[in-house]
């Protein structure tokens, strides 16, 4: 029996390992994040290529968009990534820095450059070297509702004049105003830009201020809806509640079967016209292209396949079947393709577009820019001040790394710890009684060995790796040892005021407040409902129980997104109720108190069922006699609850409170999804702030890791403290 | 046990052995501390009490006894206020408390499970009810000291309930009632969780405390030994009604019904289906293999020739026949339980007759063995007669 099990295990290991051990197959591996029509097109192309080139196989791997670049970053340096992959040009800077891409070489020879749109080729060219073969252009254009707009608007002002003729609940123009990607055309129209040539933050100064002020006026005039997200823009336009919308080609698939519309390039802004510009709206252009990994670029058949994918025949198919705005100018001469006026409009828009900056700094620029726009649109700050603050935040995130200190202190400390441990181990091992004890407990060790191994591999190792990462700065591929600098910077609030914006202490304060508010409400509501549900004479008890446990059963991010929607200023259910009651609608995410309250409301909704279930369970262990004894002793209902029930629940509730506090302290989902830190990162808690340092502020993984280590020690200390309180109560039961 | 009952009925003040409502006009000498009138209670479709009256005089120790399900605990909980009556009234002292919550009744209760507050020390357990009533700290201290002295709780005062033995918990539970100085003490089978030896000890302690405090007490038990030894007045309940009340000995000696006769006394009374016959001037109950002499003076006119009856003889009144004594039957011994000072013999009079239990002296028990045949005699005047249809004693009033 045992031998058979070992044999089976061996077979399983072989089945996993052997395909990886064999000679690398001569297939071409292509990664993409396409869905739907685009995916069908790329698959068809791959199969055709295989037919035309016998002996070559193409393996397509579709990767979810969210995980795409991190998977590339993890796979390519370890030589099990793709030979080529399809990605957007704006990521080139990061990929280049991390060594994930190589020049395309003869996949896009000089002779063929002329066949492509010039802007597209420019977008994938860095320092005169081409790093991708352009496939498609994606940029913003104007969707126009045929029924609501008689003739194509010649300017944004003309759209805003539609306000007078449109019904009250129809907006002349819908777009994601708080998002700087959608704001960019306005910025460029006024002559501003996002980054300067050296990758510095350029979203400031007069032009930028004017562009935001212009949009604020549009919002105030109810030309543009307040703070819409992408889903809302689509919904407004699809339901005929927006006469025009600024959006990319991705909205087309969602409009099928809704309203009749057409697409035109973005019209200019008259107010922006000056001697230097004509007020042209220039959207940011994302060029998707085939990129080659360093190993893939060395293989001729890979480069040939890349050339094929971007070639004329393929482009026709991608445009026709895949509905892509292909980046080749020659294809648009084809009548069949050019007859698709919507696609053609996007292609025309792309010509006027500004290629998306490829600098890695762009990643750190979006959030401060968005925050500045939101602040101005809400009237919380003047545009000039908001932009100055944005620039400062960008600089804070992008501040240069300190000179690497000597790693000697860390190594000495590590060495001393290891030496101490070794000394201790030897001392223990020499003790004969210890050896006897170990031999005696051998069977016990055998029982727990698998659990210990799993915990070591899944908990201890990542923990140690995370802690180690906190001593480094830079990227995964180019780590830079910085010693304790990350900790010093965090604990000195990066030289700013201790309770200033983004300081560790301010965030910690918010986190503690967040935890206290939530746990208090969880316990209070859970207790009340638990006690109410345990009343023996209650009817329909089972139904209430199920209904009240329901919030717990729904995945927390679903709940969080639903609540975020409910708190929307214009279209949310909460404000609708307030309005129906005659109260002023509240802009929930524009003040700390209301945004914090929205977060707490969501998390309380998520968290009370746990405490309720714990209470229900604990209540069954309280003998009825004891409560009756209290009743006979003269206790009122309230006295019985506070003097008997509650003290008896305490031993069960305390561990639940500790657990709940830890969960809440680290409740990333709700904070990230409901308020998203709004307004102005003020509602962020430590984990969501750590996330931002790692993923939206120039990928400072080391800095984020130091945050995580600090959170770990805070929770360790906190739970030990609560555990001591709980321990002193142990005498009860 | 053999005291003439005439003497008994004068020594204890029991108004009447009837379960009929005694009108206030026939008021007892002492004040009533607790009186329940026409108590009815059902749980769902299931009637538990079918109209019960209960009177406890000031300072009396009343015991409710009966088999499980007879409604005795429910009656106690009704007096405590933990259940509400469907019909009827409850008075404590002068007050009508029928609808009052427990805290307005001034009662104290000792639970079968003791129901100590697990999160409070012994001292806090004792003081709990007093604190709720806003008694001054000085008074609380004094009363706790007094009660702990009475129950020897001194060393236990600072312990937690889980550190106590069963007997200690029991004493704390009593202490908690005593410090309250309530109008009436309620005990709900307080000894049933104790082992036999401890039970006997605590039983005595309870009676001693009562004698010392002279506090009105209502005590519920299914254990007839407790009932017999503790009660001033015994209330035997069955099927939601009071079958008989009276002093323990009165009830034991003159059971009003076959149920009471069978329930009180251990081992249980022997019953025979019999016919009354007169042989000379002696009345006999003739059953299968049994000839039981009947005391004429006790039953008087109820004795008619040929009447079918249920004759009852307690095992202790069924003993080996001395020479010359009339033989009531021959016991075919099956088992002998030797108890030391005496023995209990189980067997039959005839193969088809009912099982019979008789008492043997220790000496006889040593000689007797299974399969023997022992001639039995009935102690004169000890036989009880019941109507087979109504179950009532022939001498019942």
């Amino acid at each position: 029996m045992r031998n058979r099990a070992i044999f089976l295990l061996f077979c399983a290991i072989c089945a996993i390992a052997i395909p990886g051990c064999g000679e690398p197959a001569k297939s071409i591996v292509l990664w993409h994040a396409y869905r739907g029509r685009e995916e069908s097109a790329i698959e068809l192309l791959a199969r055709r290529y295989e037919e035309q080139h016998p002996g070559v196989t193409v393996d397509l791997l579709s990767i979810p968009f969210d995980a795409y670049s991190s998977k590339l970053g993890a796979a390519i340096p370890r030589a099990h990534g793709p030979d080529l992959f399809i990605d957007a040009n704006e990521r080139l800077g990061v990929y280049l820095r991390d060594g994930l891409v190589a020049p395309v070489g003869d996949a896009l020879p000089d002779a063929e450059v002329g066949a492509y749109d010039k802007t597209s080729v420019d977008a994938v060219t860095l320092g005169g070297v081409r790093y991708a073969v352009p496939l498609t252009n994606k940029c913003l254009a104007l969707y126009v509702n045929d029924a609501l707009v008689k003739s194509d608007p010649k300017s944004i002002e003309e759209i805003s004049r539609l306000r007078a003729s449109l019904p009250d609940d129809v907006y002349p123009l819908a777009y994601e105003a708080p998002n700087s990607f959608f704001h960019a055309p306005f910025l460029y129209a006024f002559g501003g830009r996002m980054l300067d040539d050296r990758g510095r933050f350029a979203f400031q100064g007069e032009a930028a201020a004017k562009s935001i002020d212009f949009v604020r006026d549009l919002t105030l005039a109810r030309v543009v809806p307040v703070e819409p997200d992408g889903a809302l823009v689509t919904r407004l336009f699809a339901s005929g509640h927006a006469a025009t919308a600024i959006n990319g080609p991705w909205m087309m698939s969602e409009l099928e079967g809704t309203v009749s519309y057409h697409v035109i390039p973005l019209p200019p802004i008259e107010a922006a016209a000056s001697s230097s510009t004509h007020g042209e709206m220039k959207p940011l252009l994302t060029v998707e292209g085939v990129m080659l990994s360093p190993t893939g670029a060395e293989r001729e058949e890979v480069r040939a396949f890349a050339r094929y994918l971007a070639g004329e025949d393929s482009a026709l198919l991608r445009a026709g079947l895949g509905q892509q705005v292909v980046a080749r100018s020659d294809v648009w001469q084809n009548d069949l393709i050019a007859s698709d006026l919507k696609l053609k409009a996007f292609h025309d828009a792309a010509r006027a577009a500004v290629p998306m900056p490829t600098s890695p700094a762009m990643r750190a620029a979006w959030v401060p820019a968005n925050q500045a726009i939101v602040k101005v649109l809400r009237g919380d700050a003047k545009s000039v001040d908001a932009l100055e603050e944005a620039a400062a935040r960008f600089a804070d995130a992008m501040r240069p790394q300190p000179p690497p200190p000597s790693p000697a202190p860390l190594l000495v400390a590590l060495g001393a710890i290891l030496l101490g441990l070794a000394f201790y181990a030897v001392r223990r091992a020499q003790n004969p009684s210890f050896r006897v004890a170990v031999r005696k407990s051998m069977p016990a060790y055998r029982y727990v060995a698998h659990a210990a191994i799993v915990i070591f591999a899944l908990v201890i190792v990542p923990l140690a790796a995370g802690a180690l990462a906190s001593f480094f700065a830079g990227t995964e591929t180019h780590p830079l040892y910085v010693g304790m600098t990350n900790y010093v910077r965090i604990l000195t609030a990066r030289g700013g005021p201790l309770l200033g914006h983004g300081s560790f202490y301010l965030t910690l304060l918010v986190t503690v407040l967040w935890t206290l508010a939530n746990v208090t409400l969880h316990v209070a509501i859970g207790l009340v409902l638990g006690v109410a549900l345990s009343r023996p004479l209650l009817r329909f008890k089972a139904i209430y129980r199920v209904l009240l446990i329901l919030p717990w059963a729904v995945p927390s991010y679903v709940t969080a997104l639903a609540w975020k929607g409910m708190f929307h200023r214009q279209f949310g259910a909460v404000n609708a109720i307030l309005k129906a009651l005659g109260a002023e609608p509240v802009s929930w995410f524009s003040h700390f108190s209301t945004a914090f309250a929205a977060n707490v409301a969501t998390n309380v909704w998520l968290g009370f069922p746990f405490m309720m279930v714990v209470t229900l369970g604990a209540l069954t262990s309280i003998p009825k006699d004891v409560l009756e004894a209290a009743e006979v002793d003269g206790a009122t209902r309230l006295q019985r609850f506070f003097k008997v029930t509650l003290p008896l629940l305490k031993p069960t509730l305390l561990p639940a409170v500790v657990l709940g506090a830890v969960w809440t302290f680290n409740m990333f989902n709700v904070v990230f999804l409901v308020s998203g830190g709004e307004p102005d990162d003020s509602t962020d808690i430590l984990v969501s702030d750590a996330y931002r340092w790692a993923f939206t502020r120039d990928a400072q993984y080391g800095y984020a890791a130091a945050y995580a280590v600090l959170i770990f020690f805070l929770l360790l200390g906190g739970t030990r403290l609560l555990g001591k309180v709980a321990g002193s109560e142990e005498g009860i039961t | 046990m053999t005291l003439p009952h005439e003497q008994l009925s004068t020594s204890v003040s029991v108004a009447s052995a009837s379960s009929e409502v005694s009108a206030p006009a026939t008021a007892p000498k002492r004040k009533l501390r607790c009186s329940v009138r026409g108590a009815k209670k059902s749980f769902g479709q299931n009637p538990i009490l079918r109209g019960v009256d209960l009177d406890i005089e000031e300072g009396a120790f009343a015991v409710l006894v009966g088999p499980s399900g007879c409604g005795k605990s429910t009656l106690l909980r009704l007096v405590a206020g933990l259940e509400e009556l469907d019909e009827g009234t409850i008075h404590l002292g002068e007050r009508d408390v029928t609808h009052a919550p427990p805290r307005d009744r001034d009662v104290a209760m000792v639970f079968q499970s003791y129901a100590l507050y697990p999160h409070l020390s012994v001292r806090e357990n004792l003081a709990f009810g007093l604190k709720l009533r806003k008694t001054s700290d000085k008074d609380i201290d004094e009363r706790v000291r007094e009660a702990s002295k009475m129950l020897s709780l001194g060393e236990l005062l600072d312990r937690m309930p889980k550190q106590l033995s069963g007997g200690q918990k029991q004493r704390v539970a009593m202490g908690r009632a005593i410090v309250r100085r309530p109008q009436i003490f309620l005990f709900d089978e307080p000894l049933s969780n104790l082992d036999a030896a401890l039970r006997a000890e605590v039983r005595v302690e309870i009676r001693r405390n009562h004698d010392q405090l002279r506090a009105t007490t209502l005590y519920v038990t299914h254990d007839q030994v407790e009932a017999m030894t503790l009660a001033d007045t015994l209330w035997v309940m069955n099927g939601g009604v009071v079958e008989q009340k009276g002093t323990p000995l009165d009830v034991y000696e003159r059971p009003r019904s076959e149920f009471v006769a069978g329930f009180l006394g251990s081992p249980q009374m022997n019953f025979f289906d019999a016919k009354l016959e007169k042989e000379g001037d002696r009345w006999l109950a003739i059953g299968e293999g049994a000839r039981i002499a009947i005391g004429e003076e006790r039953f008087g006119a109820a004795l008619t020739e040929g009447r079918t009856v249920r004759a009852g003889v307690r095992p202790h009144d069924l003993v080996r026949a001395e020479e010359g004594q009339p033989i009531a039957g021959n016991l075919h011994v099956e088992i002998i339980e030797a108890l030391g000072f005496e023995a209990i013999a189980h067997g039959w009079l005839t193969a088809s007759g009912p099982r019979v239990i008789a008492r043997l002296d220790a000496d006889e028990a040593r000689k007797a063995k299974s399969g023997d045949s022992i001639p039995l005699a009935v102690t004169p005047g000890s036989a009880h007669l019941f109507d087979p249809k109504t179950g009532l004693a022939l001498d019942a009033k």
Side-chain angles (χ1 to χ4, degrees):
Chain A
M1 191 65 211
R2 192 165 159 188
N3 288 341
R4 212 169 100 194
I6 292 173
F7 174 73
L8 283 174
L9 187 70
F10 177 75
C11 289
I13 291 171
C14 289
I16 295 164
I18 285 174
C21 301
E23 271 292 294
K26 274 296 166 196
S27 67
I28 299 171
V29 180
L30 169 68
W31 284 14
H32 66 91
Y34 283 152
R35 285 276 176 271
R37 290 175 149 207
E38 291 185 302
E39 187 175 14
S40 316
I42 199 89
E43 269 172 1
L44 189 62
L45 283 174
R47 299 292 87 85
R48 275 198 190 168
Y49 189 77
E50 282 174 340
E51 278 166 25
Q52 291 166 14
H53 300 80
V56 178
T57 54
V58 179
D59 291 337
L60 292 184
L61 186 61
S62 171
I63 308 265
F65 179 75
D66 294 337
Y68 198 64
S69 59
S70 56
K71 280 215 175 216
L72 285 171
I76 293 177
R78 289 170 187 76
H80 49 73
D83 297 308
L84 67 179
F85 53 95
I86 297 171
D87 209 339
N89 69 310
E90 73 244 32
R91 286 180 173 167
L92 270 176
V94 175
Y95 291 166
L96 204 57
R97 185 191 67 190
D98 296 350
L100 305 183
V101 288
V104 290
D106 62 5
L108 177 53
D110 292 341
E112 286 182 23
V113 167
Y116 292 86
D117 292 327
K118 189 178 172 304
T119 38
S120 309
V121 177
D122 289 348
V124 296
T125 308
L126 270 74
V129 181
R130 292 186 286 273
Y131 286 98
V133 192
L135 291 180
T136 65
N137 293 333
K138 289 188 176 167
C139 73
L140 301 173
L142 191 73
Y143 286 73
V144 181
N145 184 315
D146 294 335
L148 296 170
V149 185
K150 297 288 166 276
S151 61
D152 284 353
K154 300 285 179 298
S155 68
I156 296 295
E157 280 82 353
E158 201 181 313
I159 297 177
S160 77
R161 279 194 289 276
L162 289 171
R163 177 70 278 168
S165 58
L166 287 172
D168 207 40
D169 62 342
V170 177
Y171 289 94
L173 174 64
Y175 79 102
E176 261 183 82
N179 186 328
S180 42
F181 176 77
F182 290 84
H183 182 75
F186 294 87
L187 176 67
Y188 286 100
F190 282 91
R193 51 185 175 169
M194 292 294 289
L195 291 183
D196 67 12
D197 300 333
R198 292 168 57 192
R200 287 174 308 197
F201 194 71
F203 187 37
Q204 54 184 330
E206 199 188 346
K210 271 188 187 164
S211 73
I212 301 184
D213 289 341
F214 179 75
V215 172
R216 191 197 61 212
D217 292 343
L218 290 182
T219 310
L220 288 177
R222 302 196 66 248
V223 173
V224 174
V226 175
E227 293 180 29
D229 56 11
L232 182 64
V233 169
T234 309
R235 207 164 72 220
L236 285 173
F237 191 77
S239 62
H241 286 89
T244 65
I246 298 176
N247 216 333
W250 48 83
M251 189 166 85
M252 282 195 292
S253 63
E254 295 178 67
L255 293 178
E256 276 167 27
T258 58
V259 289
S260 161
Y261 69 95
H262 65 280
V263 181
I264 57 172
L266 296 175
I269 301 173
E270 286 166 16
S274 66
S275 56
S276 55
T277 74
H278 302 292
E280 284 150 343
M281 296 269 275
K282 290 183 196 161
L284 285 169
L285 172 66
T286 298
V287 178
E288 275 177 5
V290 187
M291 299 176 191
L292 306 179
S293 71
T295 48
E298 288 167 11
R299 288 169 60 192
E300 200 183 326
E301 69 270 26
V302 171
R303 295 197 301 273
F305 180 58
R307 193 150 101 203
Y308 166 80
L309 279 180
E312 192 175 350
D313 290 347
S314 307
L316 281 172
L317 188 97
R318 286 188 287 110
L321 177 64
Q323 289 279 293
Q324 288 187 331
V325 185
V326 291
R328 289 182 74 103
S329 39
D330 52 357
V331 173
W332 294 98
Q333 312 299 323
N334 184 307
D335 290 342
L336 202 67
I337 301 301
S339 68
D340 189 331
L341 293 175
K342 286 166 191 160
L343 278 190
K344 190 163 183 322
F346 276 109
H347 186 246
D348 292 345
R351 283 205 205 136
V354 180
M356 182 80 86
T358 52
S359 163
M362 203 57 210
R363 294 214 301 208
W366 294 118
V367 173
N370 293 351
Q371 286 172 345
I373 297 171
V374 167
K375 267 194 183 177
V376 176
L377 292 189
R378 281 180 186 156
D380 290 345
K382 277 191 186 160
S383 49
V384 177
D385 302 338
L387 288 168
E388 238 171 58
E389 193 180 59
R393 285 183 193 172
F394 176 84
D396 184 29
M398 293 295 291
R399 70 201 178 284
Q401 289 304 331
S406 154
L410 179 72
L411 292 177
V412 167
L414 270 177
I417 291 171
L418 285 177
L419 208 67
L421 282 176
F423 182 70
Y424 177 74
V426 169
R427 278 283 299 273
R428 286 295 294 268
Q430 279 172 343
N431 186 340
S433 68
F434 173 74
R435 259 181 276 169
V436 172
V438 167
R439 214 169 302 133
K440 258 191 189 164
S441 0
M442 271 326 268
Y445 285 121
R446 237 175 276 148
Y447 280 117
V448 298
H450 62 288
I453 290 169
V454 168
I455 287 175
F456 183 78
L458 296 183
V459 178
I460 310 286
V461 169
L463 204 67
L468 204 64
S470 69
F471 296 110
F472 288 84
T475 64
E476 200 185 354
T477 42
H478 298 100
L480 181 70
Y481 177 75
V482 293
M484 297 296 286
T485 312
N486 285 331
Y487 291 98
V488 172
R489 282 188 166 180
I490 290 171
L491 294 176
T492 56
R494 297 188 300 286
L498 281 188
L499 290 179
H501 174 268
S503 122
F504 176 80
Y505 298 103
L506 182 68
T507 315
L508 176 62
L509 207 67
V510 172
T511 312
V512 169
L513 189 67
W514 158 255
T515 309
L516 282 179
N518 275 299
V519 173
T520 310
L521 286 169
H522 284 165
V523 172
I525 296 176
L527 261 180
V528 168
L529 289 176
V531 170
L533 274 186
S534 70
R535 293 184 64 178
L537 295 177
L538 188 72
R539 297 180 71 194
F540 310 122
K541 204 189 284 188
I543 297 175
Y544 298 139
R545 258 184 220 209
V546 169
L547 283 179
L548 287 170
I549 290 174
L550 214 57
W552 203 19
V554 178
S556 62
Y557 60 90
V558 174
T559 308
L561 288 175
W563 278 79
K564 183 180 177 64
M566 291 204 287
F567 282 115
H568 191 277
R569 178 166 156 187
Q570 241 173 333
F571 306 97
V574 179
N575 274 357
I577 293 171
L578 286 181
K579 238 188 245 169
L581 295 175
E584 277 292 301
V586 177
S587 176
W588 288 94
F589 299 115
S590 48
H591 304 285
F592 171 78
S593 55
T594 48
F596 188 78
N599 282 350
V600 170
T602 309
N603 198 42
V604 165
W605 166 260
L606 277 170
F608 80 82
F610 173 71
M611 292 296 173
M612 187 186 81
V613 170
V614 170
T615 305
L616 272 173
L619 279 174
T620 58
S621 72
I622 297 182
K624 205 170 126 248
D625 280 358
V626 174
L627 289 170
E628 287 183 343
E631 206 178 338
V632 174
D633 261 348
T636 60
R637 190 185 290 268
L638 272 183
Q639 282 172 326
R640 260 176 283 154
F641 179 76
F642 283 106
K643 288 180 188 282
V644 181
T645 307
L646 202 57
L648 291 181
L649 286 179
K650 231 158 115 192
T652 324
L653 273 183
L654 262 172
V657 167
V658 172
L659 261 182
V662 171
W663 287 340
T664 309
F665 199 91
N666 279 342
M667 182 41 91
F668 175 81
N669 292 3
V670 169
V671 173
F672 189 75
L673 294 175
V674 177
S675 81
E678 283 205 67
D680 213 16
D681 297 340
S682 63
T683 51
D684 262 330
I685 59 172
L686 286 174
V687 265
S688 60
D689 205 30
Y691 171 88
R692 287 185 211 289
W693 282 109
F695 298 105
T696 62
R697 293 175 191 152
D698 196 33
Q700 304 197 31
Y701 295 117
Y703 199 78
Y707 253 76
V709 170
L710 288 172
I711 292 171
F712 174 76
F713 281 112
L714 279 170
L715 286 179
L716 195 69
T719 46
R720 286 297 293 268
L721 206 71
L722 275 169
K724 271 203 181 130
V725 177
S728 69
E729 302 278 346
E730 255 170 25
I732 291 175
T733 42
Chain B
M1 289 274 183
T2 52
L3 282 176
H5 36 264
E6 292 89 340
Q7 197 180 327
L8 268 174
S9 58
T10 51
S11 66
V12 183
S13 60
V14 177
S16 121
S18 144
S19 68
E20 295 289 303
V21 179
S22 49
T26 66
K29 286 153 211 156
R30 273 194 277 173
K31 216 165 71 175
L32 283 185
R33 184 38 78 83
C34 169
S35 75
V36 178
R37 287 280 166 275
K40 284 190 185 168
K41 174 77 183 171
S42 328
F43 290 117
Q45 295 297 312
N46 188 18
I48 299 295
L49 295 179
R50 303 161 185 266
V52 170
D53 299 311
L54 177 75
D55 295 304
I56 307 168
E57 290 165 4
E58 172 107 44
F61 199 117
V63 174
L64 289 174
V65 68
S68 22
C70 71
K72 57 190 189 300
S73 279
T74 305
L75 185 53
L76 183 87
R77 291 168 60 80
L78 283 166
V79 174
L82 293 173
E83 307 282 354
E84 196 153 348
L85 269 177
D86 294 342
E87 266 177 56
T89 58
I90 299 173
H91 282 77
L92 288 176
E94 302 296 306
R95 283 181 56 223
D96 181 349
V97 295
T98 312
H99 300 292
R103 65 170 183 281
D104 293 339
R105 295 194 178 196
D106 195 17
V107 297
M109 185 156 164
V110 177
F111 291 77
Q112 180 176 353
S113 63
Y114 320 131
L116 301 183
Y117 308 117
H119 58 296
L120 300 179
S121 70
V122 169
R123 186 191 303 280
E124 290 164 328
N125 260 285
L126 295 181
F128 187 82
L130 298 177
K131 276 194 183 147
L132 290 179
R133 274 153 220 271
K134 306 262 186 289
T135 315
S136 73
D137 285 354
K138 196 172 136 259
D139 275 5
I140 293 180
D141 258 13
E142 197 175 303
R143 289 208 212 172
V144 168
R145 202 174 322 119
E146 200 177 286
S148 67
K149 197 171 149 201
M150 192 163 160
L151 298 164
S152 336
L153 293 174
E155 288 172 14
L156 309 178
L157 281 178
D158 294 314
R159 295 211 195 149
M160 299 303 280
K162 71 167 185 177
Q163 297 167 304
L164 304 179
S165 70
Q168 288 169 332
K169 282 184 192 169
Q170 217 286 330
R171 295 218 302 275
V172 175
M174 282 202 288
R176 191 168 63 180
I178 287 171
V179 294
R180 288 266 316 281
R181 296 183 184 163
Q183 285 218 38
I184 182 165
F185 284 98
L186 306 173
F187 288 83
D188 188 7
E189 312 211 11
L191 304 184
S192 52
N193 284 359
L194 300 179
D195 62 55
L198 202 54
R199 202 177 298 172
E201 196 180 302
V202 179
R203 200 168 64 213
V204 174
E205 199 172 337
I206 289 178
R207 183 69 217 195
R208 191 168 53 228
N209 290 337
H210 176 259
D211 291 345
Q212 197 175 334
L213 297 169
R214 300 304 319 167
T216 316
T217 303
L218 178 57
Y219 187 106
V220 162
T221 181
H222 64 270
D223 181 318
Q224 43 140 338
V225 178
E226 278 171 40
M228 296 289 294
T229 52
L230 287 173
D232 292 336
T233 319
L234 194 59
W235 302 70
V236 184
M237 291 186 67
N238 185 33
V241 295
V242 175
E243 287 261 339
Q244 185 171 8
K245 75 164 188 178
T247 64
L249 285 182
D250 204 18
V251 175
Y252 181 82
E253 308 240 308
R254 302 292 290 269
R256 226 182 128 254
S257 67
E258 192 182 328
F259 168 78
V260 176
F263 185 77
L264 285 185
S266 175
Q268 217 189 4
M269 184 182 279
N270 299 300
F271 290 103
F272 306 94
D273 287 319
K275 244 192 188 105
L276 293 179
E277 276 176 27
K278 193 159 187 183
E279 256 181 31
D281 58 349
R282 293 195 309 147
W283 281 92
L284 286 177
I286 311 286
E288 216 176 322
R291 293 165 57 84
I292 297 158
I294 306 296
E296 193 180 351
E297 68 281 10
R298 178 165 163 195
F299 297 100
L303 301 176
T304 52
E305 193 130 13
R307 179 174 184 177
T308 48
V309 292
R310 291 273 286 168
V313 182
R314 294 201 185 276
H316 291 85
D317 294 325
L318 202 55
V319 295
R320 175 183 274 274
E322 303 285 322
E323 246 168 77
Q325 258 188 313
I327 291 178
N330 283 306
L331 179 71
H332 301 280
V333 177
E334 186 196 20
I335 287 172
I336 291 182
E337 292 180 300
L339 300 176
F341 68 99
E342 62 175 12
I344 306 295
H346 298 254
W348 301 270
L349 296 186
T350 64
S352 59
R355 298 186 69 86
V356 168
I357 305 170
R359 177 176 67 86
L360 300 180
D361 289 339
D363 283 348
E364 291 163 359
R366 210 164 284 135
K367 282 179 252 161
K369 58 183 185 299
S370 181
D372 283 0
S373 179
I374 299 176
L376 295 177
V378 175
T379 314
S382 69
H384 305 262
L385 293 178
F386 304 96
D387 187 302
K389 289 199 195 82
T390 62
L392 288 178
L394 292 194
D395 59 341
K397 287 155 212 155

